[in-house]
Amino acid sequence: MEKQESIWSKSIPLKEQKTVVKRLFNYAKPFRFTFAGAVVFAFLLSIINILLPRILQYLIDHYLMKQSATMQIILFFAGLYLLGTLLKAIIWFFQGFLYSLGALKTFQYIRVKLFEKLHTLGMRYFDQTPAGSIVSRVTNDTETLFDFWYVFLTVLTGVFAVVSSFIAMMQINVKIALVNLLFLPILLIVIWYYQKYSSRVYRQMREKLSMMNTKLNESISGMQIIQQFRQEKRLNEEFEQTNGDYLNTRYAMIRTNSLLLSPIIDLLYALAIVLSLTLFGIDAIHSPLEVGLIYVFTTYVQSFFNPMSQMMDFLSVFTDGIVAGSRILKIIDETEETPSQNKGANASILRGKIEFRDVSFSYDGKHNVLNHISFVANPGETVALVGHTGSGKSSIINVLMRFYEFYDGQILIDDQDIREFPMEELREKMGLVLQDAFMFYGDIADNIRLLNKEISEEEVISAAKFVQADSFIEKLPDTYHAKVIEHGAGYSSGERQLISFARSIVTQPKILVLDEATANIDTETEGLIQEGLSRMRQGRTTIAIAHRLSTIRDANLILVLDQGNIVERGNHNQLLSQEGLYADMYRLQSNDS
């Protein structure tokens, strides 16, 4: 963690900032016409802002100063100014509306692309990255990009306003206009320093926010354990520390913005007004000046500096967006993707034969968790995997299901390399039942079909009946449309597991993979679970991780693993007669029962 913090505590180099902006702009391309419309209105707005003061200048110098203004003339100029103001308001509305629409569509587009990318990442990425950090990037960081796009609108309108104001000032007094232009290099130096310093502050702030989300996600997910072991005080203290660290970075951001943003612009604007009036005063000593001319010039000075003030204020948003964008692009660039199949893979699983040939596997590329694993599961047979924790049972499931890539050995299905099958074929023909049945928010039918519209209501009901889940589903008030809240709370572990069985069987898989599917069931539904498993295994090749050895006594082949090696193999009776590790485990469980 310290190494990660040190990386994120550095400021973002200008070259990297340009790269981030360029890449984020690619996501805005589908909405470029919406943005272009907003830019056109921004240009028209700058023209209106230059013309409006001229109306008042003409009224002052040609009528008010000469005391020749009549009520008709005053009403004419008031109406003209009102018309210009209304036109300005309409242009301003369309500029803001179009740009907001483009910004909203862009940040939503990025969020969808980021979410899609997460579904292509391999399991190793999620093993190594805290869930809270991922959630923070998908929610907070993408949300930041909505305001980030406004930076470019502010810059564009600012450039239009600065250029048009300077041109208007040049038409009035070239010398004083050029004097005001001398303030521009000072502003550029301030901008450069702010970007260099603030990017480091914002990086730290984003990282602290990510850590806080991680703590929050962990606490909510583990609330039952926290309360059971009375860990509230410790976790409150840890969260308070993390939240305090985040608060300190926010303080640093506020101090930076308070010093380097609006105050600097306001100071320079005040100096520019004083200098301009002084120079006009010197000129007035030699020749009279029109009051309206001085008014319109000072108005243009204000128009010259106001956009800079807005741009400076948005620098904090820009820096925040750059940091958020770099964090999002880090996920987009993540190369730890799900294992890929061979190009043109089109094989189909017809019989369900499985063969491991000398397969070795490592999660970190250094330490093997599987060593030279070889076995055959013929169609319709059951191969059970047993062993102590860390022996490699789940790793065999992980490589068979293509959650992780293996590099040594070969895995065959129906005598063909597993990479020759499309991933869709593997997912459809291989049913997986995990130890903990995960339930999605919705209803029971949707949890069985997983929102697959091709699976009919009749198929859902048939699958539930096949695994004996109908015995409790049909007793519910809404039966198959009974509500399921987050994680399936309100249903027993056995009921959730039966729904998981139905979910796996509804696609009629040829291969069944059971990862300790009976480990956490309650005694009330144990009989239904066993009956459901027995039915599911009929006619299917089954690879089962066994927690209760009594449940796999009828397996065709039992593999006993220890530290990634197959140390014993055979059926139940053969292994008992060997008086080895399996026999010891079986006797231990028999004595416990």
Side-chain angles (χ1 to χ4, degrees):
M1 185 62 71
E2 291 181 1
K3 183 179 179 182
Q4 189 178 13
E5 287 185 5
S6 65
I7 292 173
W8 283 98
S9 65
K10 297 178 180 178
S11 60
I12 303 178
L14 183 60
K15 184 178 179 180
E16 184 180 341
Q17 292 186 34
K18 290 169 63 177
T19 302
V20 171
V21 170
K22 183 179 179 180
R23 293 188 60 187
L24 289 177
F25 261 63
N26 289 331
Y27 291 101
K29 282 184 179 178
F31 319 106
R32 57 187 178 276
F33 294 113
T34 305
F35 285 115
V39 171
V40 171
F41 281 110
F43 176 74
L44 294 175
L45 187 64
S46 67
I47 301 299
I48 292 289
N49 285 333
I50 293 301
L51 295 178
L52 279 177
R54 285 290 190 178
I55 296 174
L56 295 181
Q57 180 211 350
Y58 195 88
L59 173 64
I60 293 171
D61 290 341
H62 290 81
Y63 295 99
L64 296 183
M65 290 299 297
K66 296 179 179 179
Q67 297 182 343
S68 60
T70 64
M71 183 59 67
Q72 185 178 3
I73 291 173
I74 291 174
L75 290 176
F76 171 77
F77 278 95
L80 189 61
Y81 195 86
L82 177 62
L83 183 64
T85 303
L86 290 175
L87 183 61
K88 175 182 176 181
I90 293 171
I91 293 173
W92 205 343
F93 166 77
F94 280 106
Q95 170 206 283
F97 175 77
L98 289 176
Y99 209 87
S100 294
L101 188 64
L104 181 65
K105 288 182 177 180
T106 303
F107 106 82
Q108 291 283 20
Y109 180 67
I110 292 174
R111 178 174 285 174
V112 170
K113 288 298 181 183
L114 183 61
F115 192 69
E116 289 176 353
K117 174 66 178 185
L118 287 172
H119 284 84
T120 69
L121 297 178
M123 292 297 175
R124 185 178 282 108
Y125 175 80
F126 297 99
D127 291 341
Q128 298 172 349
T129 309
S133 175
I134 297 173
V135 170
S136 180
R137 298 186 190 200
V138 177
T139 55
N140 297 334
D141 289 350
T142 54
E143 193 78 32
T144 299
L145 294 183
F146 177 73
D147 293 328
F148 176 72
W149 294 110
Y150 270 94
V151 174
F152 301 101
L153 176 64
T154 305
V155 170
L156 279 172
T157 55
V159 169
F160 290 153
V162 168
V163 171
S164 59
S165 298
F166 181 71
I167 293 173
M169 284 191 291
M170 289 282 287
Q171 292 175 342
I172 297 172
N173 191 306
V174 175
K175 180 182 67 177
I176 301 178
L178 291 175
V179 168
N180 279 275
L181 191 63
L182 294 176
F183 289 98
L184 194 59
I186 301 174
L187 286 172
L188 294 176
I189 293 172
V190 173
I191 291 172
W192 172 81
Y193 180 76
Y194 176 85
Q195 280 297 97
K196 181 178 177 61
Y197 179 75
S198 65
S199 63
R200 182 168 71 250
V201 174
Y202 275 94
R203 264 192 161 183
Q204 292 173 336
M205 187 183 73
R206 281 282 158 189
E207 184 62 15
K208 296 300 181 183
L209 178 61
S210 179
M211 291 170 64
M212 190 171 68
N213 284 334
T214 299
K215 287 283 184 184
L216 188 61
N217 181 75
E218 188 179 64
S219 296
I220 293 174
S221 301
M223 189 59 70
Q224 187 176 6
I225 301 298
I226 291 170
Q227 294 182 355
Q228 178 183 346
F229 290 95
R230 302 180 64 185
Q231 295 294 300
E232 295 93 338
K233 183 178 180 181
R234 179 181 65 82
L235 287 167
N236 284 340
E237 290 174 353
E238 289 181 1
F239 185 80
E240 186 175 348
Q241 176 65 42
T242 305
N243 191 45
D245 292 341
Y246 174 66
L247 186 63
N248 289 334
T249 60
R250 296 285 297 188
Y251 282 149
M253 178 198 70
I254 291 171
R255 287 193 298 269
T256 305
N257 292 349
S258 299
L259 176 64
L260 295 178
L261 296 183
S262 292
I264 292 288
I265 300 295
D266 292 342
L267 175 62
L268 294 177
Y269 167 66
L271 292 174
I273 288 291
V274 169
L275 195 57
S276 297
L277 291 176
T278 301
L279 293 174
F280 272 120
I282 294 172
D283 289 344
I285 295 174
H286 305 290
S287 59
L289 290 175
E290 296 175 332
V291 175
L293 198 66
I294 298 175
Y295 157 76
V296 78
F297 192 93
T298 54
T299 302
Y300 290 150
V301 172
Q302 185 179 23
S303 299
F304 185 80
F305 279 90
N306 272 352
M308 294 186 186
S309 179
Q310 293 173 0
M311 285 189 283
M312 288 292 286
D313 285 339
F314 267 94
L315 277 178
S316 59
V317 178
F318 177 76
T319 304
D320 200 14
I322 288 292
V323 173
S326 64
R327 285 162 54 84
I328 290 169
L329 292 173
K330 188 175 181 182
I331 294 182
I332 297 294
D333 294 337
E334 180 60 53
T335 58
E336 188 60 58
E337 298 189 350
T338 53
S340 59
Q341 304 304 88
N342 290 340
K343 189 175 182 180
N346 59 0
S348 299
I349 300 176
L350 301 176
R351 297 181 300 137
K353 178 184 176 182
I354 298 173
E355 182 177 359
F356 273 58
R357 289 183 183 174
D358 200 33
V359 175
S360 296
F361 171 68
S362 169
Y363 287 104
D364 59 8
K366 299 176 182 178
H367 307 94
N368 278 2
V369 294
L370 295 178
N371 299 298
H372 309 292
I373 301 296
S374 297
F375 67 88
V376 177
N378 290 309
E381 290 186 348
T382 296
V383 173
L385 309 175
V386 302
H388 296 299
T389 301
S391 59
K393 306 185 298 296
S394 295
S395 297
I396 290 178
I397 300 297
N398 285 336
V399 295
L400 175 62
M401 294 298 298
R402 300 292 285 152
F403 293 147
Y404 290 86
E405 186 62 87
F406 65 96
Y407 299 99
D408 296 324
Q410 194 174 21
I411 298 177
L412 306 174
I413 297 180
D414 290 344
D415 299 320
Q416 295 188 74
D417 192 289
I418 195 171
R419 297 182 180 90
E420 293 297 330
F421 297 87
M423 196 63 78
E424 294 79 7
E425 176 73 4
L426 293 178
R427 294 292 175 255
E428 183 178 351
K429 299 293 179 63
M430 297 173 69
L432 174 64
V433 181
L434 299 172
Q435 178 177 341
D436 296 314
F438 189 88
M439 302 286 285
F440 295 91
Y441 187 89
D443 61 29
I444 289 177
D446 285 339
N447 267 277
I448 292 175
R449 66 161 62 94
L450 289 182
L451 299 178
N452 185 347
K453 296 180 180 179
E454 296 181 1
I455 298 175
S456 66
E457 192 82 6
E458 291 73 22
E459 289 175 310
V460 169
I461 296 172
S462 177
K465 288 182 176 179
F466 186 83
V467 299
Q468 307 280 5
D470 62 315
S471 60
F472 82 88
I473 294 176
E474 293 181 355
K475 293 178 182 178
L476 299 172
D478 296 318
T479 62
Y480 289 89
H481 296 287
K483 187 177 181 180
V484 177
I485 60 176
E486 193 173 9
H487 300 304
Y491 296 94
S492 69
S493 59
E495 289 169 343
R496 292 197 300 269
Q497 196 64 291
L498 285 172
I499 294 174
S500 179
F501 287 174
R503 177 191 296 165
S504 298
I505 213 69
V506 74
T507 58
Q508 297 297 319
K510 292 289 184 181
I511 297 170
L512 192 61
V513 180
L514 307 174
D515 188 353
E516 299 193 84
T518 62
N520 295 330
I521 60 173
D522 50 85
T523 55
E524 183 180 350
T525 51
E526 183 173 3
L528 293 175
I529 293 285
Q530 296 297 349
E531 177 65 23
L533 276 175
S534 178
R535 287 190 174 198
M536 291 171 70
R537 286 164 51 188
Q538 291 175 7
R540 292 183 174 85
T541 307
T542 304
I543 305 294
I545 293 178
H547 176 72
R548 302 179 185 181
L549 300 185
S550 59
T551 63
I552 46 96
R553 283 180 296 185
D554 61 339
N556 302 92
L557 176 64
I558 299 172
L559 302 176
V560 183
L561 290 101
D562 183 46
Q563 297 182 353
N565 300 288
I566 298 177
V567 293
E568 297 176 17
R569 68 173 68 211
N571 59 35
H572 177 71
N573 293 326
Q574 290 172 340
L575 291 174
L576 286 181
S577 65
Q578 292 179 18
E579 293 293 333
L581 181 60
Y582 180 85
D584 292 340
M585 293 169 63
Y586 186 77
R587 278 194 292 269
L588 183 62
Q589 288 192 9
S590 299
N591 292 335
D592 289 342
S593 61

